[in-house]
Every structure is written in structure tokens, then in C-alpha cells.
Amino acid sequence: MSNTKLASIAPSRINDDTLRKFLGYHLKRSFNVIQADLSETLKPFDLRMLTFTALVFIVDNPGLSQSQLADAMDIERPNLVIIIDELEQRELIVRDRVQTDRRMYALRATLAGKRLCKKAVAADKAHELRLLAGLDNETKANLMSALEALSHHLQNRTESHNS
Amino acid sequence: MSNTKLASIAPSRINDDTLRKFLGYHLKRSFNVIQADLSETLKPFDLRMLTFTALVFIVDNPGLSQSQLADAMDIERPNLVIIIDELEQRELIVRDRVQTDRRMYALRATLAGKRLCKKAVAADKAHELRLLAGLDNETKANLMSALEALSHHLQNRTESHNS
DNA sequence: TATTGTTATACTCTATAACTATA
DNA sequence: TATAGTTATAGAGTATAACAATA
């Protein structure tokens, strides 16, 4: 860290006064760290954030369709296909044909899927607690409620835009 | 919205009780919305989130090097090159050779760069206010301080990991 | 006609290894 | 040797258009 020569030319401490005022700036930085760390946490289960999220949704909502899932995950239908393919090939979920509407599949988790989901959720929870270790409980509670409020607010906003 | 037949098979309202407890879940959803909206906001200036962030950093820190900038932006050096190339080609910034250490460049914004930066910052600020319209001021303030705390906490965590 | 799932495709962001030129 | 910038490349995530099967 001996950038004594550098100090005369470039700022030794980077100024982010302008960017610090932007929600998107902090959101991106925070998400990048959590996303990178979460990838490591999910690696033992052979899951990524997207496959993990899809699996949890299917476990919690047996019978939902790919359209519904894509909508819940805020991704486009085409991008969900390979995620479902992967989960199905690993026999964590099944695609059941719906008899009353043969266009769509009812997604259901297998026993193996439910078991893996439970383990991954526990690992993810432990991972987040480890990541937030050092913050006092009040800050953590504020963080969670603020983020949940933001997420809901933005979600409702886009819904009313689409209609 | 007439999924009356669907209701008998699949859940009509998606349950996200499990995922709702995860910071990463809300973080990702919020970031996706803000990122998508910000892209639209920056389009008139021919900027993306990355080129915008780089430009603001250079304006606020005249003379910084690409390594310093990559570090500040939390991206890898190779990925910064094309961003700087783009800003330089558009004559928003210049790469000045540092005489005392000819390996590196001192990045500086041109007058045009500073002007565009100012306009883009204002548009971005207006965009965020518009996006958060409807939330009461207390929630907004909580959100900002919570996110800033999170961003700083995670940043310091990774720094101590790298050393 | 509209919708579900699918294919193909393209663009952006991210990450790593290896090179060059300078120190 | 170590560092700054670069090239090449590969892997994710995301978005759109167009298609087949079904409603």
C-alpha cells in the first residue's frame, strides 16, 4: 500500500460524495457483495441464486405454472426455461401436464427437491447472518424493513405500469 | 386476470414467505427495477450505469488511475478498459500519461464530460425521487441510511478479507 | 385471437489468465 | 519481481422476436 508517490498526482482517498446520495449506487454495491458470497454458499448444493429462488418458489407454491413463476421471479419466460430444465434434469422438480389446460405445466418439487431446498434455505440464512455480523440488531431490523418496503413499493409500481 | 380455472390447480396468489426473509431477495428485486429504470433515464445521455458511475468518479477525483477507479467501482481492471475507451472516444474524458510513473494514466474529465455529468446526475436524482414517490419521508430517510450502512459494512468486510 | 412454453439470438456485466511496458 | 493497463475469452443474467401447441 506504499502509494506515497501516487498521492502527489491522484487522490489518495477516493471521493464518492456525489454517488453516495444515490440509492442505486448503494444497492448495486451491496447486491454485488451478497450475490458473490451467496454463489459460494450455494455451490455445495449445485445451485445458483436463480435456481435456488425458483426451487423455493416451487416448494412453497406446488402446482404453479412457468408463467406464474417467471412473473414472481421478475424474469422473462424464455429465461426461466433453462432454469426449470436444470432443476428437472436433477430430479428436484417435475413438470406435470395440467389436464384442464394442456398448454401449461404444473411445477412440483420432488422429495429430493424439498430436502435440498430446506438445506439450502438454512445455509442461506446462516450466510446472511454471518455477512451482517457486526451490525447491531436495530440496524439489522431497520435494514430488513426498509428493504422490504422498497421492494414492495417498486413491485407495485411496475405492476400498475404494466396494466 | 381471469385465471378462475387456474385457481383450482395453482395458487392464485404466489407465496413468498420463505424468500421474504432474505435480504438478497429484496436487494435483487429492488436493484433490478432501479437498474432497468435507470437505463432508460440515462439513455438520452448515451450512458449506462457503469459509464455513468465511472464518469462521476472521474469528475469528482481528477487524476485518478484506472486501477483506483476499478477498485472504487468494485469491478475488475479488464472490465474497466472498454468503459474508459468509450468515454475517451466520446471525448468526455482524457487519458493523461503520468510523467513520474509512465505505466499509468491520470484520468480527467473534459469540459464536455463535466457538463454531461452534471446533467446526468440531475436526471438520475430526479429519476430516483420519481421512483420513490409515494413513500413517506421517514421511510425514505430510513431506507437511505440503512442502505448506506449496509454498503459500508459489506465494503469494509471485503476489504479486510482481501488484505 | 390470445396464451404457454420454447428456440434462437444478442447485449451487458462479470471473472480469469496471459500478455506488454514500465518500475 | 511487481504493478498498470491491455487483450482474449468464457460464463452468467437479461431482453426481444418468432414459433408450435393449445385454448
Side-chain angles (χ1 to χ4, degrees):
Chain A
M1 287 284 162
S2 64
N3 45 356
T4 45
K5 278 182 190 170
L6 200 69
S8 60
I9 310 143
S12 54
R13 201 63 195 163
I14 303 301
N15 170 11
D16 70 342
D17 285 352
T18 304
L19 289 165
R20 198 198 322 242
K21 289 167 196 150
F22 289 105
L23 216 77
Y25 176 64
H26 297 291
L27 221 43
K28 186 194 170 91
R29 294 174 80 88
S30 302
F31 176 64
N32 277 358
V33 176
I34 291 203
Q35 154 86 354
D37 254 64
L38 183 57
S39 297
E40 286 303 309
T41 303
L42 292 176
K43 209 166 256 176
F45 307 104
D46 256 304
L47 291 169
R48 291 162 291 140
M49 190 162 186
L50 283 171
T51 50
F52 169 72
T53 307
L55 181 58
V56 176
F57 265 123
I58 295 169
V59 167
D60 282 358
N61 299 273
L64 91 170
S65 70
Q66 291 186 199
S67 284
Q68 286 180 307
L69 180 52
D71 204 51
M73 289 178 66
D74 253 328
I75 63 175
E76 299 302 317
R77 260 79 37 132
N79 296 327
L80 182 63
V81 175
I82 53 163
I83 294 171
I84 298 301
D85 282 349
E86 193 183 321
L87 292 175
E88 190 188 32
Q89 276 158 29
R90 293 179 56 197
E91 300 188 350
L92 299 172
I93 64 159
V94 291
R95 280 194 247 229
D96 280 351
R97 272 288 177 205
V98 176
Q99 290 309 320
T100 50
D101 188 339
R102 291 168 47 75
R103 285 174 304 184
M104 61 185 179
Y105 292 113
L107 303 174
R108 282 183 235 284
T110 63
L111 184 56
K114 286 176 198 163
R115 282 181 179 150
L116 188 73
C117 181
K118 199 172 177 181
K119 284 188 211 162
V121 165
D124 193 357
K125 197 69 210 163
H127 152 262
E128 282 205 355
L129 286 175
R130 189 161 23 88
L131 215 51
L132 297 181
L135 291 176
D136 57 286
N137 288 336
E138 196 191 340
T139 308
K140 274 192 263 192
N142 281 347
L143 192 54
M144 198 46 134
S145 65
L147 264 184
E148 197 167 347
L150 175 66
S151 155
H152 272 110
H153 175 72
L154 294 177
Q155 211 59 33
N156 295 337
R157 209 193 93 93
T158 49
E159 263 176 29
S160 57
H161 263 229
N162 291 349
S163 66
Chain B
M1 287 280 166
S2 65
N3 45 357
T4 44
K5 278 183 191 169
L6 201 68
S8 60
I9 311 142
S12 53
R13 200 64 193 162
I14 302 300
N15 169 12
D16 70 341
D17 285 352
T18 303
L19 288 164
R20 198 201 321 243
K21 289 166 197 150
F22 289 106
L23 215 77
Y25 175 64
H26 297 292
L27 220 43
K28 186 193 171 92
R29 294 173 80 88
S30 303
F31 176 64
N32 277 358
V33 175
I34 291 204
Q35 155 85 354
D37 253 63
L38 183 57
S39 296
E40 286 303 307
T41 304
L42 292 176
K43 210 166 254 177
F45 307 105
D46 256 306
L47 291 169
R48 290 162 291 141
M49 191 162 185
L50 283 171
T51 49
F52 169 72
T53 307
L55 181 59
V56 176
F57 265 123
I58 296 169
V59 168
D60 282 358
N61 299 273
L64 90 171
S65 69
Q66 291 186 199
S67 285
Q68 287 180 307
L69 180 54
D71 203 51
M73 288 177 67
D74 253 328
I75 63 175
E76 300 302 316
R77 262 77 40 130
N79 297 325
L80 182 62
V81 176
I82 54 163
I83 295 170
I84 299 300
D85 282 349
E86 191 183 322
L87 292 175
E88 190 188 33
Q89 276 158 28
R90 293 178 57 196
E91 298 188 350
L92 299 171
I93 64 159
V94 291
R95 282 194 246 229
D96 281 351
R97 272 289 177 204
V98 176
Q99 291 308 320
T100 52
D101 188 339
R102 292 166 48 74
R103 285 175 303 184
M104 61 184 179
Y105 293 112
L107 303 174
R108 281 182 236 285
T110 63
L111 185 56
K114 286 175 198 165
R115 283 182 179 150
L116 188 72
C117 181
K118 199 173 177 180
K119 284 187 211 163
V121 164
D124 193 358
K125 197 68 210 166
H127 151 262
E128 282 205 353
L129 286 174
R130 188 160 26 87
L131 216 49
L132 297 182
L135 291 176
D136 56 289
N137 288 335
E138 196 192 340
T139 307
K140 274 192 262 192
N142 282 347
L143 192 53
M144 199 44 134
S145 65
L147 263 184
E148 198 167 345
L150 175 67
S151 156
H152 271 111
H153 174 74
L154 295 177
Q155 210 58 33
N156 295 337
R157 209 193 93 93
T158 49
E159 264 175 28
S160 57
H161 264 231
N162 291 349
S163 67

